[in-house]
Amino acid sequence: DVVKDRQLAVGLVVVPLEAPWNPEWCTRWLDTISELEQTGQHNSLHRQSVDVLSTGFPYTEILQSLSAPVWEHFGLRPDQLHLYAGFFIHYHKDRNLDLILHTDDSILTVNICLYAQCVGTQIRFHGSRPLVSHRQHQQSSGSLLVDPPCGHALLHWGNHPHETEPLERGERMNVILWFHRLEQ
């Protein structure tokens, strides 16, 4: 698949979540997040986002379910990582219309799309970061637009510069998990 090869070449991995983390499971989180948004519970990292740690979100189990691609492409095992920060971000007409160019404070970022009925909010990655699995790494000064579907996880190095394209209409909900390496 040409798209997958291009993503791997610049250092991005998009994988479907395995059961029970399917699109129906993702949709159930929308009510929880909407309730927390209305109470004003936000995290300190991103304006207008909800802290994962206040919700019981099963980030440890999800990381464990992603252990094969995390090991294959990043050379990391889940037992080497800990959640540094996690948040739900909701793009809609009143908030989070886009996200400026940045890098994440993580060694590994897991970005899970929980809901997407929108035009816009794709993630634009700039340059490339090599994966341990990909021998045909391309040094790239260009950019690549990625739009992970609902129920999929986008895995990337935290130091890979990226931004979110402007929301044109509709809404999207993602959960972003920043992992650090455990101190040895």
Side-chain angles (χ1 to χ4, degrees):
D1 170 325
V2 173
V3 171
K4 182 178 179 181
D5 288 345
R6 175 77 175 118
Q7 290 171 350
L8 289 171
V10 299
L12 308 173
V13 177
V14 178
V15 294
L17 294 176
E18 297 175 4
W21 300 294
N22 55 31
E24 293 77 29
W25 175 87
C26 293
T27 305
R28 287 195 296 267
W29 275 95
L30 299 178
D31 290 337
T32 300
I33 297 159
S34 294
E35 288 173 20
L36 289 169
E37 284 177 329
Q38 291 176 8
T39 65
Q41 290 188 27
H42 302 291
N43 75 14
S44 60
L45 295 170
H46 290 81
R47 190 172 53 87
Q48 299 179 326
S49 61
V50 174
D51 190 342
V52 163
L53 294 176
S54 68
T55 65
F57 189 80
Y59 62 87
T60 303
E61 293 86 351
I62 288 175
L63 179 62
Q64 194 63 44
S65 78
L66 296 170
S67 62
V70 168
W71 174 252
E72 177 186 354
H73 300 294
F74 298 90
L76 298 167
R77 295 186 324 266
D79 64 352
Q80 296 174 306
L81 302 171
H82 73 92
L83 184 69
Y84 171 72
F87 51 92
F88 297 99
I89 188 160
H90 190 179
Y91 298 92
H92 64 83
K93 65 182 174 79
D94 297 326
R95 63 168 53 128
N96 298 318
L97 299 177
D98 59 8
L99 195 55
I100 64 170
L101 183 63
H102 66 283
T103 58
D104 299 337
D105 185 3
S106 67
I107 187 167
L108 175 70
T109 296
V110 176
N111 180 337
I112 300 169
C113 179
L114 297 175
Y115 178 80
Q117 292 294 317
C118 63
V119 174
T121 69
Q122 305 93 332
I123 307 156
R124 181 173 301 280
F125 284 86
H126 296 271
S128 61
R129 297 293 181 270
L131 297 171
V132 298
S133 63
H134 207 70
R135 291 182 173 79
Q136 278 74 42
H137 172 70
Q138 294 177 255
Q139 265 315 100
S140 171
S141 58
S143 68
L144 180 66
L145 203 57
V146 180
D147 192 10
C150 182
H152 284 65
L154 165 64
L155 313 175
H156 64 87
W157 295 113
N159 69 351
H160 199 153
H162 58 285
E163 62 190 314
T164 303
E165 294 291 299
L167 175 69
E168 295 176 31
R169 69 176 178 274
E171 55 187 305
R172 174 188 296 270
M173 179 81 68
N174 286 45
V175 60
I176 314 297
L177 305 170
W178 289 353
F179 292 96
H180 279 190
R181 188 184 299 263
L182 285 170
E183 298 298 321
Q184 299 293 326

